[in-house]
Amino acid sequence: DTAVSQTPKYLVTQMGNDKSIKCEQNLGHDTMYWYKQDSKKFLKIMFSYNNKELIINETVPNRFSPKSPDKAHLNLHINSLELGDSAVYFCASSQGSPTYFGPGTRLTVT
Amino acid sequence: QQQVKQSPQSLIVQKGGISIINCAYENTAFDYFPWYQQFPGKGPALLIAIRPDVSEKKEGRFTISFNKSAKQFSLHIMDSQPGDSATYFCAATPFNTGNQFYFGTGTSLTVIP
C-alpha cells in the first residue's frame, strides 16, 4: 500500500503554462507538506498544512498555491511556470514525527 | 540561513568500510534528529532517528552518535555495501510538533565493490 502518493511522476511543460501536482496520503496524518528539491539535491520546505489549514508558507512566489480539499490531500498548483521552477517536488506527511515522503514529481520547464 | 550543516558533500568508501557523515545544528529547540536515505528517482525514506536523551542509537549496521553539548550528530554505516550507495540527509526538528524538518544539504555516498 502506498503511504504518500503523487501524480504525475514526470511533468514536462513550457514556460508560462499552469500546472498542478496532486498528492494523497493514506496514513491518517494531520500534517502535509510540499518540499522542493533542486538540482543540487537540496531539500527545502515550501508549505505545510495541518488539518487543511496553512501553517507554514516559506518564501515561495505567489505563483505557487497549495490547496487542501481534505486532510488526506494536498495539491500544488503552479501558475506562469518559469525555467527556475524545474525541480523535483515532494509531497510529505507526518503525525508529529517522523515525516513520510512521496516518490516525487520531476517538473521540467522548457 | 542553513539550520543544519552537513558534511561531507560526497563520500566514496570501499565495500566493508565505515561511512561517516556529520551534522551540526544551532537551534536548541531541536530535539528530534532523523536521518533519511534517498535513492535516485525516489523520495527520502526514514533510516534511523535519535532524540537527545541518548548519546547513541544503533539499528543493524546504522548508528547515530549524538553529542548534545557540541550540538553535533553523525551517522555511521558499518560494513558499507554497494547497496548503501545513496544520498543521505540529516534533519532536525522539535519533536512531535508537526513542525517542519530542517534538512542538511545531503551527502552522496558511493560504496565501491
Side-chain angles (χ1 to χ4, degrees):
Chain A
D1 287 345
T2 303
V4 183
S5 59
Q6 297 176 228
T7 54
K9 187 166 177 62
Y10 299 97
L11 188 53
V12 181
T13 188
Q14 291 185 326
M15 285 175 56
N17 285 349
D18 303 339
K19 290 293 178 185
S20 293
I21 306 172
K22 294 185 177 181
C23 176
E24 177 181 4
Q25 55 97 1
N26 63 7
L27 298 166
H29 289 169
D30 285 338
T31 306
M32 295 185 71
Y33 313 83
W34 278 106
Y35 281 85
K36 180 180 179 180
Q37 187 171 48
D38 61 23
S39 58
K40 296 183 179 178
K41 298 207 170 181
F42 182 58
L43 271 167
K44 182 170 171 52
I45 193 167
M46 300 174 68
F47 302 101
S48 170
Y49 265 76
N50 182 271
N51 277 321
K52 296 172 52 181
E53 185 178 336
L54 180 66
I55 59 173
I56 293 174
N57 182 355
E58 292 293 310
T59 306
V60 175
N62 58 15
R63 298 181 295 104
F64 290 79
S65 55
K67 287 186 170 53
S68 181
D70 56 56
K71 209 172 76 166
H73 296 84
L74 181 63
N75 303 323
L76 183 65
H77 189 76
I78 315 170
N79 289 328
S80 303
L81 278 155
E82 301 178 356
L83 291 176
D85 298 333
S86 295
V88 181
Y89 293 83
F90 288 101
C91 178
S93 74
S94 71
Q95 185 77 16
S97 303
T99 294
Y100 295 88
F101 285 82
T105 296
R106 180 173 293 278
L107 171 65
T108 304
V109 183
T110 61
Chain B
Q1 182 183 0
Q2 189 65 31
Q3 295 263 3
V4 179
K5 295 181 180 174
Q6 182 172 346
S7 62
Q9 186 175 0
S10 61
L11 183 61
I12 300 174
V13 173
Q14 293 275 0
K15 178 182 175 182
I18 302 173
S19 303
I20 301 175
I21 305 170
N22 300 301
C23 285
Y25 65 98
E26 287 296 328
N27 190 340
T28 55
F30 293 154
D31 63 355
Y32 179 72
F33 303 90
W35 284 89
Y36 282 80
Q37 180 188 54
Q38 184 180 25
F39 292 106
K42 304 290 184 183
L46 179 67
L47 186 63
I48 187 173
I50 197 169
R51 296 200 64 201
D53 50 347
V54 296
S55 59
E56 185 175 283
K57 183 173 182 180
K58 185 175 180 178
E59 288 183 4
R61 297 184 293 108
F62 300 91
T63 300
I64 300 178
S65 296
F66 188 83
N67 185 330
K68 187 174 181 178
S69 60
K71 290 186 279 189
Q72 296 175 346
F73 58 110
S74 60
L75 176 69
H76 296 236
I77 306 174
M78 312 300 286
D79 187 26
S80 298
Q81 300 296 312
D84 297 331
S85 298
T87 300
Y88 293 81
F89 294 92
C90 61
T93 189
F95 180 68
N96 237 17
T97 60
N99 283 354
Q100 65 165 313
F101 279 36
Y102 293 91
F103 281 90
T105 49
T107 296
S108 177
L109 171 66
T110 303
V111 181
I112 300 171

XYZ file of all heavy atoms in Angstrom, chain A residues 30-66:
323
model
N -2.190 14.280 10.150
C -2.839 15.596 10.195
C -2.089 16.652 9.393
O -2.669 17.664 9.007
C -2.926 16.092 11.646
C -4.007 15.373 12.428
O -4.936 14.839 11.783
O -3.919 15.347 13.665
N -0.794 16.442 9.193
C 0.035 17.468 8.579
C 0.593 16.982 7.256
O 1.094 15.858 7.159
C 1.198 17.861 9.516
O 0.657 18.227 10.794
C 1.963 19.050 8.952
N 0.512 17.841 6.257
C 1.066 17.534 4.940
C 1.943 18.694 4.491
O 1.737 19.847 4.905
C -0.050 17.264 3.929
C -0.863 16.023 4.262
S -2.080 15.598 3.007
C -1.028 15.022 1.662
N 2.908 18.371 3.644
C 3.917 19.336 3.237
C 4.182 19.246 1.731
O 3.960 18.203 1.115
C 5.264 19.053 3.925
C 5.218 18.808 5.405
C 4.918 17.552 5.913
C 5.525 19.815 6.306
C 4.902 17.304 7.276
C 5.520 19.584 7.676
C 5.209 18.323 8.150
O 5.201 18.099 9.502
N 4.721 20.345 1.208
C 5.375 20.306 -0.087
C 6.813 20.754 0.097
O 7.078 21.793 0.728
C 4.673 21.219 -1.101
C 3.481 20.584 -1.723
C 2.166 20.856 -1.484
C 3.489 19.539 -2.699
N 1.353 20.048 -2.231
C 2.146 19.227 -2.993
C 4.488 18.823 -3.367
C 1.771 18.244 -3.910
C 4.126 17.852 -4.273
C 2.775 17.578 -4.543
N 7.727 19.946 -0.452
C 9.147 20.262 -0.461
C 9.604 20.378 -1.907
O 9.104 19.691 -2.794
C 9.966 19.151 0.211
C 9.961 19.163 1.717
C 8.930 18.552 2.436
C 10.999 19.756 2.434
C 8.940 18.552 3.821
C 11.016 19.748 3.814
C 9.971 19.139 4.503
O 9.988 19.147 5.863
N 10.617 21.210 -2.105
C 11.246 21.330 -3.413
C 12.695 20.853 -3.293
O 13.400 21.253 -2.358
C 11.224 22.790 -3.889
C 11.870 23.023 -5.246
C 11.792 24.507 -5.626
C 12.449 24.772 -6.976
N 12.379 26.208 -7.352
N 13.107 19.996 -4.215
C 14.497 19.543 -4.243
C 15.128 20.026 -5.542
O 14.696 19.666 -6.630
C 14.592 18.022 -4.137
C 16.027 17.522 -3.994
C 16.120 16.042 -3.680
O 15.478 15.204 -4.309
N 16.923 15.706 -2.688
N 16.158 20.846 -5.399
C 16.767 21.430 -6.587
C 17.798 20.482 -7.183
O 17.984 19.351 -6.716
C 17.364 22.800 -6.272
C 18.457 22.738 -5.219
O 19.074 21.661 -5.037
O 18.707 23.764 -4.563
N 18.476 20.979 -8.198
C 19.428 20.124 -8.940
C 20.604 19.688 -8.078
O 21.256 18.686 -8.363
C 19.931 20.854 -10.184
O 20.548 22.075 -9.815
N 20.869 20.423 -7.000
C 21.945 20.053 -6.074
C 21.427 19.173 -4.958
O 22.143 18.912 -3.987
C 22.617 21.304 -5.510
C 23.323 22.132 -6.574
C 24.036 23.318 -5.972
C 24.762 24.117 -7.047
N 25.442 25.313 -6.494
N 20.178 18.738 -5.078
C 19.524 17.840 -4.123
C 19.188 18.506 -2.794
O 18.860 17.815 -1.835
C 20.362 16.575 -3.883
C 20.553 15.746 -5.136
C 20.766 14.308 -4.828
C 20.698 13.482 -6.095
N 20.884 12.060 -5.861
N 19.265 19.819 -2.738
C 18.904 20.496 -1.504
C 17.390 20.457 -1.325
O 16.644 20.828 -2.223
C 19.410 21.931 -1.523
C 19.118 22.687 -0.272
C 19.570 22.233 0.959
C 18.376 23.853 -0.305
C 19.306 22.920 2.126
C 18.100 24.550 0.855
C 18.559 24.092 2.071
N 16.948 20.007 -0.147
C 15.519 19.900 0.170
C 15.068 21.125 0.942
O 15.602 21.419 2.013
C 15.275 18.663 1.041
C 14.996 17.345 0.348
C 15.105 16.214 1.343
C 13.630 17.342 -0.301
N 14.051 21.789 0.418
C 13.569 22.983 1.101
C 12.052 22.934 1.199
O 11.374 22.660 0.205
C 14.002 24.236 0.354
C 13.590 25.538 1.027
C 14.234 26.719 0.385
C 13.657 28.036 0.904
N 13.659 28.118 2.362
N 11.536 23.203 2.388
C 10.095 23.178 2.560
C 9.470 24.378 1.855
O 10.045 25.464 1.805
C 9.699 23.168 4.050
C 8.221 22.815 4.185
C 10.039 24.485 4.715
C 7.801 22.467 5.591
N 8.295 24.134 1.274
C 7.557 25.214 0.637
C 6.327 25.562 1.473
O 6.076 26.714 1.789
C 7.121 24.785 -0.759
C 8.259 24.429 -1.689
S 7.680 23.770 -3.244
C 6.915 25.215 -3.972
N 5.545 24.546 1.786
C 4.285 24.736 2.508
C 4.074 23.601 3.492
O 4.545 22.496 3.295
C 3.088 24.748 1.547
C 3.134 25.782 0.481
C 3.515 25.451 -0.808
C 2.795 27.089 0.762
C 3.556 26.398 -1.806
C 2.836 28.057 -0.237
C 3.214 27.705 -1.525
N 3.300 23.935 4.536
C 2.860 22.916 5.472
C 1.391 23.177 5.794
O 1.010 24.323 6.050
C 3.705 22.974 6.740
O 3.152 22.144 7.735
N 0.593 22.129 5.763
C -0.821 22.219 6.099
C -1.102 21.285 7.263
O -0.674 20.135 7.270
C -1.697 21.799 4.912
C -2.163 22.929 4.054
C -1.294 23.532 3.166
C -3.460 23.404 4.136
C -1.708 24.584 2.372
C -3.893 24.451 3.340
C -3.011 25.041 2.460
O -3.427 26.078 1.670
N -1.860 21.785 8.226
C -2.289 20.948 9.335
C -3.807 20.981 9.388
O -4.398 22.048 9.559
C -1.688 21.434 10.654
C -2.082 20.548 11.815
O -3.107 20.757 12.460
N -1.272 19.544 12.075
N -4.427 19.823 9.222
C -5.893 19.751 9.198
C -6.503 20.766 8.239
O -7.414 21.512 8.601
C -6.471 19.951 10.594
C -6.462 18.665 11.382
O -6.719 17.591 10.862
N -6.136 18.779 12.653
N -5.972 20.804 7.052
C -6.445 21.650 5.962
C -6.130 23.130 6.152
O -6.553 23.968 5.364
C -7.956 21.488 5.739
C -8.402 20.113 5.303
C -9.922 19.974 5.293
C -10.599 21.079 4.516
N -12.074 20.942 4.530
N -5.385 23.470 7.193
C -5.061 24.870 7.444
C -3.583 25.123 7.190
O -2.723 24.387 7.680
C -5.403 25.232 8.881
C -5.209 26.705 9.201
C -5.609 27.008 10.635
O -6.416 26.246 11.197
O -5.103 28.009 11.184
N -3.278 26.190 6.451
C -1.893 26.525 6.150
C -1.181 26.978 7.409
O -1.628 27.905 8.089
C -1.859 27.637 5.097
C -0.473 28.116 4.654
C 0.259 27.002 3.922
C -0.581 29.357 3.786
N -0.070 26.321 7.765
C 0.671 26.721 8.958
C 2.081 27.174 8.633
O 2.705 27.862 9.419
C 0.704 25.603 10.023
C 1.342 24.317 9.483
C -0.683 25.319 10.547
C 1.541 23.252 10.541
N 2.624 26.769 7.522
C 3.942 27.238 7.107
C 3.864 27.634 5.639
O 3.367 26.885 4.821
C 5.035 26.163 7.284
C 5.256 25.876 8.763
C 6.345 26.597 6.623
C 6.205 24.729 9.009
N 4.351 28.824 5.353
C 4.444 29.266 3.973
C 5.783 29.959 3.834
O 5.927 31.116 4.205
C 3.289 30.211 3.636
C 3.336 30.658 2.184
O 4.256 30.345 1.442
N 2.341 31.402 1.768
N 6.776 29.179 3.435
C 8.110 29.742 3.305
C 8.136 30.717 2.133
O 7.134 30.909 1.443
C 9.129 28.619 3.104
C 9.308 27.755 4.332
C 9.954 28.494 5.489
O 10.998 29.130 5.272
O 9.423 28.441 6.616
N 9.255 31.340 1.930
C 9.372 32.339 0.880
C 9.269 31.666 -0.471
O 10.245 31.158 -1.031
C 10.729 33.072 0.998
O 10.839 33.584 2.312
C 10.803 34.199 -0.013
N 8.059 31.616 -0.954
C 7.760 30.968 -2.224
C 6.972 31.959 -3.066
O 6.090 32.636 -2.535
C 6.920 29.688 -1.971
C 6.498 29.059 -3.281
C 7.701 28.693 -1.131
N 7.287 32.082 -4.358
C 6.497 33.004 -5.197
C 5.018 32.688 -5.117
O 4.621 31.527 -4.997
C 7.056 32.734 -6.604
C 8.411 32.179 -6.387
C 8.353 31.402 -5.106
N 4.194 33.744 -5.197
C 2.756 33.505 -5.078
C 2.176 32.840 -6.318
O 0.961 32.622 -6.404
C 2.004 34.798 -4.737
C 2.243 35.889 -5.768
O 2.734 35.622 -6.853
N 1.910 37.111 -5.413
N 3.023 32.498 -7.275
C 2.581 31.668 -8.398
C 2.297 30.233 -7.936
O 1.643 29.466 -8.636
C 3.657 31.634 -9.489
C 3.971 32.993 -10.104
C 5.020 32.875 -11.200
N 6.332 32.443 -10.683
C 6.811 31.226 -10.813
N 6.107 30.275 -11.429
N 8.010 30.910 -10.334
N 2.843 29.898 -6.767
C 2.622 28.571 -6.199
C 1.471 28.671 -5.192
O 1.529 29.475 -4.258
C 3.876 28.081 -5.460
C 5.026 27.759 -6.367
C 5.826 28.768 -6.879
C 5.301 26.451 -6.715
C 6.887 28.469 -7.727
C 6.360 26.134 -7.560
C 7.153 27.153 -8.061
N 0.467 27.851 -5.386
C -0.662 27.880 -4.463
C -1.053 26.457 -4.081
O -1.457 25.657 -4.933
C -1.861 28.624 -5.074
O -2.204 28.060 -6.317
N -0.918 26.138 -2.803
C -1.351 24.823 -2.337
C -2.855 24.839 -2.063
O -3.426 25.876 -1.704
C -0.568 24.654 -1.035
C -0.372 26.045 -0.536
C -0.344 26.945 -1.737
